[in-house]
Amino acid sequence: MIHFSWFLDGSIIGCYLLGTMIAGIMVRKYVGKVEHFLVAGREMNIYLGIASLAATEFGIVTCMYTAQNGYKYGFAGVTPGILMALSMFFVGITGFCIKPLRDSGVITIPELLEKRFGPRIRWAAGVVIVLGGLLNMGVFLRVGGEFLVLVSGLNVKYLEITMTVLLIAVAVYTILGGMLSVLITDFLQFIVMSLGLVVVTILILARVGWSNLVSTVELHYGAGGFNPFVNKDMGWEYVLFFAFLNLAAVLTWQTTIARVLSAKDTKTGQMVYTRTAFFFVCRFLIPGIWGIAALAMLKPDSMTLLSAAMKEQSSLYGMPVFLSTFVPIGLMGLLVAAMLAADMSTDSSYMLTWGGVIYNDIMAPFRKNKWSERRGLLWNRMIVACIGLFLLVFGLWYKLEGDLWTYIGVTGTIYLSSISVLLIACCYWKKANSWGAAGAIIIGAVVPILFLVFEKVPVTKGFAKTIGPYYSGILTYLLTAVAMIVGSLIKPQHIKADVK
Amino acid sequence: MITEHWFWFCLTAVCVIWYSTVTVYVAFNGIVDIKHMLEELKKSL
């Protein structure tokens, strides 16, 4: 039986939603300039930055896939979280790339790239960032809705309408208050989300027990459940691929880097990184434990309520099915509120930051004459509204065909590989030029797409399987760097400006 | 079980303790940050 009381749990969720909406809308009066809307006037301090970064980078989709990692790989599934924490700590402590980026006073990464590579590369980088980011985000709503349906026992026919109402609520405060509303609501959402995550985890550790979790992992995966290097589905190539991916994400993922750019100064931006770094271990370990608990506690008949398509991915849907009967009434309201908080903070930030790139970089050629603040704000608000509409149509009402993970992996790698190489070269290699940058953008897109095509074509299917997604991913990062070096050396150009 | 997989046991314990502490700490200090941010933005309007 599902433990969800509409009176008790519904009241908790209603109070949370009402509080968030009021806080988000109230701060709209402080938005008078485009800079206020996109980077909160660069007045964000450390603790607000920590809350906002943590809340943004943890959505329901994150919880689902990290729990799936726990279900499929045991404790070894936490490896990407550890790698991300190490990357973020390294970047925060050294200021690698983020120091010159924040010192330059830009609003987005492509704006910095223009100083070294020219306006065309700024525009192309903007397009790659927006395409990669929005297509990646396109699947968030449906997965989030599925979690809520499974946990609360909501009739599946209300999934679309529930998520539509939620997205409209998020869009309203994001359109009105921009980054200010995002920061304030992120703060509230961080508290609710953290409370839910910690309480449910303690309950699992107390009731399922540490010994039960460990013996389940030993039974299913042996030593590979604790060590990624000896896991038959992981190995060194998995670790190396995620090391590249996480470093690139820390340096260039738009929602993450927006916190550095909104910080009141460079030192604050770096401190937000160093102090949030360990959160990324929790981001994988906490839902990972939920996934392992699902593996330990679920019986074969537990999945009978799932649809046929969901049954095929029992590792993904095991965690919400387990929680629906494990978490007691009252606490269930807190869990659902926590997950709604996680999803809303992610959606608002994604809509705003990718909208910022559209306005600041893709529309830059159309803003040759300086626009008034009023006009700029109007355009930014319209862009956020359009992104909301895109998410609604693409992410919720449009049924995505094919493998979800391949889709997320390809869109993510296209963006992260090229933009991270461009950013590193822009900041630290004086010989880097627009030829190298163009080569890196092309190679960064071609290699992952080729791998996808090879996977689908019968003649090359075997070859693609031999290479595998991790070697292909590693190759993409290496070849993108080679393209930057070769392209820059083929045609040396006059250096336009020192970005530092 | 604990001594055999001490790394994962310690990491789990640290995660729960660190996350609980940080949540409380950030909840209090974040309010101060928000107040200060809104004051500064009010001046710039």
Side-chain angles (χ1 to χ4, degrees), chain A residues 1 79 84 128 149 154 190 219 289 293 353 387 427 437 442:
Chain A
M1 196 188 83
T79 308
M84 185 139 191
V128 169
V149 162
L154 185 78
F190 170 77
L219 182 72
I289 285 174
T353 52
I387 293 175
C427 294
I442 293 165

Side-chain angles (χ1 to χ4, degrees), chain A residues 359 363-372 375:
Chain A
Y359 173 80
M363 287 179 64
F366 308 105
R367 290 188 287 111
K368 290 267 161 71
N369 299 320
K370 194 171 163 53
W371 285 9
S372 67
R375 192 179 177 191

Side-chain angles (χ1 to χ4, degrees), chain B residues 13-34:
Chain B
V14 170
C15 265
V16 174
I17 294 165
W18 179 88
Y19 198 13
S20 315
T21 314
V22 162
T23 302
V24 176
Y25 195 69
V26 167
F28 283 106
N29 288 289
I31 292 170
V32 179
D33 282 0
I34 290 171

Side-chain angles (χ1 to χ4, degrees), chain A residues 10-221:
Chain A
S11 303
I12 295 170
I13 296 162
C15 288
Y16 154 72
L17 287 174
L18 192 67
T20 305
M21 285 302 290
I22 291 171
I25 293 171
M26 269 178 69
V27 293
R28 75 189 188 283
K29 62 184 177 187
Y30 295 96
V31 179
K33 299 176 185 173
V34 171
E35 198 185 40
H36 293 165
F37 190 85
L38 291 180
V39 285
R42 299 191 199 272
E43 291 293 347
M44 188 197 78
N45 217 330
I46 299 168
Y47 299 104
L48 188 54
I50 293 171
S52 182
L53 182 56
T56 296
E57 294 307 324
F58 191 95
I60 295 181
V61 73
T62 324
C63 188
M64 292 281 276
Y65 288 128
T66 47
Q68 187 184 31
N69 259 23
Y71 195 103
K72 276 172 71 179
Y73 304 124
F75 288 97
V78 183
T79 308
I82 296 172
L83 292 168
M84 185 139 191
L86 290 173
S87 297
M88 187 163 273
F89 189 77
F90 165 75
V91 171
I93 208 96
T94 59
F96 180 62
C97 288
I98 62 167
K99 188 176 186 310
L101 181 67
R102 180 63 187 85
D103 284 346
S104 68
V106 297
I107 290 179
T108 56
I109 291 175
E111 194 181 340
L112 178 77
L113 298 179
E114 185 184 18
K115 296 186 181 189
R116 171 61 56 89
F117 305 123
R120 285 180 186 170
I121 294 298
R122 175 185 182 175
W123 194 85
V127 171
V128 169
I129 286 174
V130 169
L131 275 181
L134 288 185
L135 290 176
N136 202 279
M137 188 196 180
V139 294
F140 286 10
L141 270 186
R142 177 159 289 279
V143 178
E146 286 169 347
F147 174 91
L148 294 174
V149 162
L150 290 173
V151 162
S152 67
L154 185 78
N155 191 322
V156 75
K157 69 180 178 185
Y158 298 124
L159 186 149
E160 278 89 0
I161 198 71
T162 306
M163 296 313 282
T164 303
V165 171
L166 196 69
L167 185 68
I168 290 171
V170 173
V172 165
Y173 70 69
T174 311
I175 288 168
L176 291 174
M179 183 56 100
L180 266 179
S181 290
V182 169
L183 288 176
I184 304 286
T185 52
D186 275 0
F187 172 72
L188 293 174
Q189 287 154 353
F190 170 77
I191 295 167
V192 175
M193 176 186 98
S194 305
L195 204 61
L197 289 177
V198 169
V199 170
V200 171
T201 306
I202 290 171
L203 190 74
I204 287 175
L205 290 172
R207 289 205 184 160
V208 179
W210 178 256
S211 304
N212 196 2
L213 295 173
V214 169
S215 55
T216 300
V217 173
E218 270 178 349
L219 182 72
H220 285 84
Y221 308 113

Side-chain angles (χ1 to χ4, degrees), chain A residues 6-7 19 28 34 135 158 160 186 272 373 412 440 448 476 488 500:
Chain A
W6 279 102
F7 177 71
R28 75 189 188 283
V34 171
L135 290 176
Y158 298 124
E160 278 89 0
D186 275 0
V272 167
E373 294 291 346
T476 307
S488 300
K500 292 175 194 172

